[in-house]
Amino acid sequence: MPGVSLTCIKTDKFKTGCLTVNFICSLSKETAAASALLPRVLRRGSAELPNMERISAALDELYGARIEPLVRKKGETHCIGLYADFPDDRFLSEQNDAQNLLEETAALLGGMLLSPNMQDGFFRLDYVESEKANLIDDIRATINDKRSYSIERLLEEMCSGEAYSVNKNGDENEARAITPESLTAHYRKMLNHARVEVFYCGFADHERVLKAVTSALSGLKPRKDATIPKTNILLHPSEKEPRHLSEKLDISQGKLTVGFRLGSAMENPDYPALIVFNSLYGGSITSKLFLNVRERLSLCYYASSMLDKHKGVMIVSSGVEFSKFKMALDEIMFQLEQVKKGEISEWELTSAKRYVITSIKSALDRPGGLEELYFDSIISANPYDPVDICDKISKVSLSDIIKTASDITPDTIYFLSGTDISNKESDIDT
């Protein structure tokens, strides 16, 4: 099937299998809300099973199988689809109806994706309006989690003009404007042109999986040259000095969030070194940010870093007292300079690698975690083997960390403070 790939991982580690179908598109402000809404509406009913009641009954007959919407943002790609998990045949009785759970689940998932319940050629108005309201609620709910809100606001400002600034759920105005007609048009365009990645994890043989998936997705049209969209990577900030931005809300704890560009580390990405660097700097409980900024100096309630290796962006997120903003920021920058200078103990490096390896092995012990790791590799500019990467992580050296960190540069500094506190930084209108 041109433009459609299947990744099949056979394992006897789990009592359940999982199957995902992902449509991969370019992330954009104009289509993000519609793309995020699609799997929610598709999950509401198919031509054969037109409502949630019928779908629930069908899933119950499949020994409690589940099918859920998937919406992911990987760099500047928007990945949407459906996730299914179901009991492995090996653990059920020898009845005939217990020997084809993979095939029946795949068929059910394919029906939702390719033969949705429609009226007069368009998605049902009641389904669209109901799921649209839920999507808008989710978009609005971001502000209730001030940590997540601060990260989203930082990315909006730091990556203004880049697709990466767009939230995976889109924005409220775009969501509100969606109609059954516009959503159907977007669905048909995606169906005909988007790259499709299918992932299976379970005990079934490859040939059986291939047959089940091919049958379930037989309605897909060939899509020549349907490649995974590329992410535009900016190696360095557009300005020499980092931008300082602030905003005020009715909160009692400040949120200091700093965005960095990874620089030359993204020219030929060394993913193991990037992952270990992040763990060492702020991505673990043995990191420099945690042990120094939070524990030793008590400048933050929390301080951590996260990495998007697809985009070449690192975010440091921290909760601070309003009066400690400057001290916390200085220490966050100081700890990065320490890494660049190689001021790293053998214990710190070993702990960082151990933390990453443990996290990956933990993910590999769950069907969903294994799917996420392999899917992440597929989307990457430099695909990697999630199993072999642990061995490469264990071999990351101090010089690898120094090289990776050498060109990392702060781009934007965002501070969310309380409404009764005056700040010297320029305010952003809320």
Side-chain angles (χ1 to χ4, degrees), residues 121-321:
F122 300 107
F123 285 114
R124 290 174 56 106
L125 176 62
D126 53 343
Y127 288 180
V128 171
E129 290 301 315
S130 174
E131 293 303 329
K132 191 165 74 172
N134 292 335
L135 177 63
I136 291 173
D137 285 345
D138 287 346
I139 294 171
R140 287 177 175 175
T142 303
I143 199 170
N144 295 328
D145 182 344
K146 299 302 186 292
R147 184 175 186 174
S148 297
Y149 174 78
S150 298
I151 293 171
E152 288 297 329
R153 290 291 291 119
L154 171 80
L155 292 177
E156 285 177 11
E157 297 297 326
M158 173 176 164
C159 301
S160 177
E162 301 172 63
Y164 194 68
S165 65
V166 178
N167 185 284
K168 72 174 184 177
N169 287 326
D171 67 47
E172 183 176 342
N173 290 334
E174 294 291 337
R176 195 175 298 282
I178 295 172
T179 64
E181 292 78 10
S182 67
L183 187 63
T184 303
H186 181 64
Y187 164 71
R188 297 197 187 286
K189 182 177 180 180
M190 180 200 71
L191 208 58
N192 292 330
H193 300 288
R195 175 75 181 185
V196 179
E197 292 288 342
V198 185
F199 178 90
Y200 167 80
C201 166
F203 189 69
D205 290 330
H206 173 265
E207 289 301 321
R208 180 185 170 193
V209 178
L210 181 61
K211 184 177 179 180
V213 170
T214 302
S215 175
L217 302 182
S218 60
L220 274 178
K221 296 180 180 179
R223 57 214 47 236
K224 294 182 180 179
D225 302 322
T227 58
I228 296 174
K230 293 184 178 180
T231 293
N232 179 38
I233 298 173
L234 299 185
L235 299 181
H236 302 101
S238 58
E239 301 178 18
K240 291 184 178 180
E241 297 297 327
R243 291 190 299 157
H244 286 254
L245 305 168
S246 68
E247 187 173 359
K248 298 177 182 179
L249 291 176
D250 185 14
I251 56 175
S252 59
Q253 181 189 112
K255 306 298 178 186
L256 169 59
T257 313
V258 187
F260 297 82
R261 304 281 184 175
L262 298 185
S264 57
M266 292 303 296
E267 290 179 343
N268 185 24
D270 181 348
Y271 289 148
L274 277 169
I275 296 169
V276 175
F277 157 76
N278 181 64
S279 175
L280 190 150
Y281 176 54
S284 70
I285 59 173
T286 61
S287 68
K288 286 187 175 293
L289 292 186
F290 186 90
L291 293 180
N292 292 285
V293 186
R294 182 187 186 276
E295 295 292 294
R296 181 172 62 85
L297 298 173
S298 299
L299 294 174
C300 298
Y301 299 100
Y302 63 86
S304 64
S305 65
M306 61 195 76
L307 199 67
D308 188 330
K309 59 183 180 291
H310 304 289
K311 177 63 178 174
V313 165
M314 180 175 72
I315 304 297
V316 169
S317 174
S318 63
V320 302
E321 293 181 20

